[in-house]
Amino acid sequence: MDYTTLLFDADRTLFDFPTAERTALAFVAQACGLEYTDYIYETYAAINQTCWNAYERNELTQEELKTERFRQFLTKTNCHTELSPEQLCTIYAQQLSKQGQIYTGVDTLLQKLQSEGYVLALVTNGIATTQHGRLEASGLGPFFRKIFISEEMGIQKPSPAFFSHVLSELAVSKKQCLIIGDSLSSDIKGGNLSGIDTAWYNPTHLPLSEIATPTYTIDKLDQLCAILA
């Protein structure tokens, strides 16, 4: 297939989100007077993922998601801080927006793809201020022709409307595009619903589920070069 346009997910695909998340959450724990431990991280991470899954299913708005995860976190950890979930969300978002950690080789790969003439775009369900901050901190922003963030669009992956907007803005056809992402329920399902080919980035070799069917599966991002060749 002759792809001309590559649609990259952000978190856990290009950005090392677990590292960024741990760093930001340490500030939240400190503000709450909690000792920052693996339990604190794992508790929050599980709640956060559940909330994002609900957001993808349109069961939570993004505004609700921002505070609901911290409301559940305070309950689960039995924390009695005077800080509200809204205040904790602000602390977390401010710290997360400063985190520009990317996976090894990401910048080199994007530079190579850009030099070969591919149009690169970022497609993310992340929170707008956070994602813009991390793009600046990482230095990845200039590689992308356009940045598509669900909060700014008012539509989220995996909705076909999200990708329809992306195609319209980039003036490309479905057959010209390849979606690259780590999430079966967001990136790959979005491609399936929209008729766009997908590359599932699966570095930890998770089992394939019935949620979605990728066109390709890769465990290293530079394996894209073989697909594109």
Side-chain angles (χ1 to χ4, degrees):
M1 186 67 67
D2 294 327
Y3 302 112
T4 65
T5 305
L6 307 178
L7 309 179
F8 282 94
D9 174 49
D11 293 324
R12 295 186 175 88
T13 300
L14 302 179
F15 288 118
D16 181 356
F17 186 73
T19 297
E21 185 177 49
R22 283 181 180 274
T23 303
L25 190 62
F27 284 89
V28 173
Q30 182 181 39
C32 289
L34 295 172
E35 180 184 359
Y36 184 57
T37 62
D38 286 344
Y39 169 77
I40 291 296
Y41 170 73
E42 290 164 5
T43 298
Y44 172 78
I47 292 170
N48 189 43
Q49 188 60 58
T50 298
C51 288
W52 278 103
N53 291 344
Y55 170 66
E56 290 174 8
R57 297 191 299 268
N58 291 310
E59 295 170 3
L60 285 177
T61 68
Q62 197 166 84
E63 282 303 309
E64 291 169 336
L65 177 153
K66 290 177 184 179
T67 54
E68 178 61 24
R69 54 189 175 174
F70 288 104
R71 185 172 292 107
Q72 292 185 29
F73 173 75
L74 291 175
T75 300
K76 187 73 173 180
T77 58
N78 196 31
C79 178
H80 301 292
T81 178
E82 294 182 0
L83 295 173
S84 68
E86 289 79 9
Q87 289 171 310
L88 295 180
C89 177
T90 297
I91 294 169
Y92 177 78
Q94 287 174 342
Q95 295 301 324
L96 190 60
S97 67
K98 300 174 183 178
Q99 308 304 316
Q101 299 93 334
I102 58 175
Y103 292 122
T104 302
V106 161
D107 49 352
T108 302
L109 175 63
L110 295 181
Q111 185 175 39
K112 172 181 168 60
L113 294 173
Q114 188 182 61
S115 69
E116 291 176 353
Y118 292 100
V119 173
L120 311 182
L122 196 73
V123 291
T124 173
N125 275 351
I127 294 167
T129 55
T130 299
Q131 298 302 64
H132 285 302
R134 294 171 69 214
L135 279 167
E136 182 176 357
S138 67
L140 295 186
F143 289 116
F144 298 107
R145 176 77 60 84
K146 282 186 176 291
I147 310 294
F148 298 95
I149 302 177
S150 63
E151 185 178 30
E152 295 177 335
M153 296 165 61
I155 322 163
Q156 68 266 21
K157 300 182 292 183
S159 170
F162 180 100
F163 291 101
S164 177
H165 178 82
V166 170
L167 296 177
S168 177
E169 285 290 309
L170 294 174
V172 292
S173 70
K174 297 177 181 180
K175 297 301 181 184
Q176 292 174 292
C177 292
L178 179 67
I179 300 169
I180 304 100
D182 71 293
S183 172
L184 285 174
S185 62
S186 174
D187 307 307
I188 310 307
K189 184 176 181 179
N192 289 173
L193 293 174
S194 302
I196 302 172
D197 285 356
T198 59
W200 182 32
Y201 176 52
N202 184 22
T204 57
H205 305 106
L206 296 172
L208 187 62
S209 74
E210 297 180 356
I211 294 174
T213 304
T215 312
Y216 313 96
T217 300
I218 57 177
D219 56 19
K220 295 181 178 64
L221 281 178
D222 60 9
Q223 291 171 350
L224 278 175
C225 298
I227 293 173
L228 298 173

